[in-house]
Amino acid sequence: MKHSARLLASATALLLAGSTGFAADIIGEPAVNYCRTVGTSDLVLTDNMVELKDRVVKLMDDSIAVANSPEWINSSRPAFVWASEAKVACGKAYGYLKTNYKDEDYLNKCECFHDRMVEYMH
């Protein structure tokens, strides 16, 4: 229950924050603003499907570890938020890759959200 209450409080704070801080990265701003590199990710440019799957799984596993870590769940930094977004995007990208389909949108989101997570961890 404590975890659910914290998530609700975080979401409420984001909504009330408007366009300041990291809230602008999540709500009300175009995707261009929350990814450092605009355009095609390195994942999309990877042609080897085995290598691509391995890279996506690594990003997904990293994101899951951060999203499940009490250190980041209870942190005031938004690493947990980006980890949660990354694990979903990477999971969807991996699901498509299992059928040998490269969904560029989810691959781009996977890499972007993971990069943002790592950025806020340091």
Side-chain angles (χ1 to χ4, degrees):
M1 184 68 175
K2 183 178 178 183
H3 177 67
S4 297
R6 175 144 170 85
L7 288 176
L8 179 59
S10 295
T12 303
L14 287 175
L15 291 173
L16 294 175
S19 63
T20 62
F22 67 89
D25 295 337
I26 299 170
I27 55 176
E29 296 291 327
V32 170
N33 291 335
Y34 60 69
C35 284
R36 295 283 185 246
T37 56
V38 178
T40 307
S41 71
D42 289 339
L43 293 176
V44 171
L45 299 175
T46 304
D47 290 327
N48 182 317
M49 289 298 277
V50 172
E51 178 186 340
L52 181 57
K53 287 177 189 176
D54 288 345
R55 290 178 64 195
V56 168
V57 167
K58 183 191 179 317
L59 296 179
M60 184 172 56
D61 288 346
D62 290 350
S63 302
I64 291 169
V66 172
N68 290 335
S69 168
E71 174 186 2
W72 296 110
I73 292 169
N74 297 313
S75 173
S76 63
R77 292 197 240 162
F80 169 79
V81 173
W82 289 108
S84 299
E85 294 295 331
K87 74 178 186 178
V88 171
C90 295
K92 289 182 177 186
Y94 181 66
Y96 282 117
L97 290 173
K98 287 179 11 180
T99 66
N100 291 319
Y101 174 73
K102 287 173 59 173
D103 185 286
E104 292 185 11
D105 186 46
Y106 281 117
L107 289 170
N108 284 327
K109 287 178 181 179
C110 173
E111 187 171 280
C112 169
F113 297 165
H114 182 273
D115 288 350
R116 291 304 303 260
M117 173 193 81
V118 171
E119 178 183 331
Y120 283 112
M121 292 173 72
H122 301 287

